[in-house]
Amino acid sequence: MMKIKVDDNNVDLSALSDKSHTFYDFISNDIAGFIPKGSVIKDIYLNGIKFDELLVNDEKTKTIRIDGDGELNITTMTSNDLIKESIVAIKNYFNDLSISLNEVSDLLRIGNDKDGFNNFAADLKGIASFVQMMDKIAVFLKIDYSIYTYKEKTIKEYFDDLEEILSKILEMQKNRDYIMLADTIEFEMEPEIKIWQEVLEYLEDELIP
């Protein structure tokens, strides 16, 4: 039988109705029942491998059975800790992103679209990760961004603004309109990132008692 620990405490698998189901099923359906009240999952390790890495191949997780050998380690954090860590990570990333966006717009203006696009591809990936992280916070805390307002706009509207800018940027990339893309990055995306830094400060104050 697989050994399972939550915050270094052994889990009693007798509470499971079916001990023979897969690791994927356990993570998808049963794990919530073993998490302390008021906490969320921070990290999951299966035999020393972080679960994020296993997610690359869901089919692999479906072949690992709870009634087999191995060890599953789960660490948790409080909701407040989740918000603090997430917002600190995002703010640090946004500081670096602002510098990178400025460099990208400069590269595009001098005609170095190859390096500009390569750098910007990494920036877009980071922005996508930011949106995913904010979505996870909303799910974990059961909050609705449309009810939080900063400077007369809801947080959802700020997400909509970001999505609109990203749509414009993707269209410009498709059309290879490098100068317009550089202008959009400098005059729309960079200010949007700065306002999001303010939004994060506001959310931190609102969501953490």
Side-chain angles (χ1 to χ4, degrees):
M1 180 64 67
M2 182 173 288
K3 185 177 182 180
I4 300 178
K5 288 187 175 183
V6 175
D7 294 331
D8 291 327
N9 297 313
N10 291 322
V11 169
D12 181 7
L13 292 179
S14 64
L16 289 178
S17 58
D18 180 6
K19 304 182 188 63
S20 65
H21 61 191
T22 67
F23 172 70
Y24 181 87
D25 294 329
F26 178 75
I27 294 298
S28 300
N29 304 317
D30 297 315
I31 196 170
F34 298 97
I35 303 304
K37 186 176 181 179
S39 296
V40 295
I41 296 172
K42 180 179 181 182
D43 291 309
I44 301 175
Y45 287 88
L46 176 62
N47 299 326
I49 301 175
K50 195 171 183 179
F51 185 55
D52 287 350
E53 299 174 35
L54 294 173
L55 279 175
V56 174
N57 186 356
D58 281 347
E59 293 305 315
K60 179 179 179 180
T61 65
K62 293 176 182 178
T63 65
I64 302 171
R65 304 187 69 83
I66 295 299
D67 60 355
D69 296 327
E71 182 168 315
L72 178 65
N73 288 287
I74 302 165
T75 57
T76 67
M77 62 170 63
T78 67
S79 299
N80 285 353
D81 287 339
L82 170 67
I83 298 171
K84 289 177 182 177
E85 288 195 14
S86 299
I87 289 180
V88 167
I90 294 170
K91 288 193 292 189
N92 289 338
Y93 166 69
F94 276 173
N95 288 334
D96 294 335
L97 178 61
S98 295
I99 296 172
S100 179
L101 290 175
N102 186 60
E103 292 174 349
V104 167
S105 59
D106 287 344
L107 287 169
L108 293 174
R109 285 199 176 94
I110 64 174
N112 190 350
D113 53 278
K114 181 179 179 180
D115 288 339
F117 278 145
N118 285 339
N119 292 351
F120 193 48
D123 294 337
L124 290 177
K125 185 176 180 180
I127 293 170
S129 296
F130 151 69
V131 173
Q132 291 172 358
M133 187 177 294
M134 295 299 290
D135 285 343
K136 287 181 180 179
I137 290 176
V139 171
F140 285 145
L141 301 184
K142 296 181 174 60
I143 59 176
D144 182 354
Y145 287 132
S146 66
I147 67 174
Y148 291 92
T149 302
Y150 177 72
K151 290 187 175 179
E152 299 182 355
K153 292 179 70 172
T154 67
I155 305 306
K156 182 182 181 304
E157 288 175 315
Y158 285 111
F159 277 114
D160 292 341
D161 291 343
L162 180 60
E163 183 179 352
E164 182 178 349
I165 294 172
L166 289 173
S167 295
K168 289 170 62 176
I169 285 174
L170 291 175
E171 187 65 26
M172 291 170 195
Q173 284 182 299
K174 180 180 177 181
N175 296 332
R176 299 183 180 276
D177 192 343
Y178 304 139
I179 299 302
M180 183 65 73
L181 177 58
D183 287 345
T184 302
I185 291 172
E186 180 178 357
F187 299 115
E188 295 188 46
M189 178 60 80
E190 289 187 49
E192 183 69 14
I193 295 304
K194 289 179 180 177
I195 192 65
W196 262 107
Q197 289 174 309
E198 296 178 17
V199 170
L200 289 171
E201 295 282 356
Y202 160 77
L203 279 177
E204 189 172 22
D205 291 339
E206 288 293 311
L207 299 179
I208 299 178

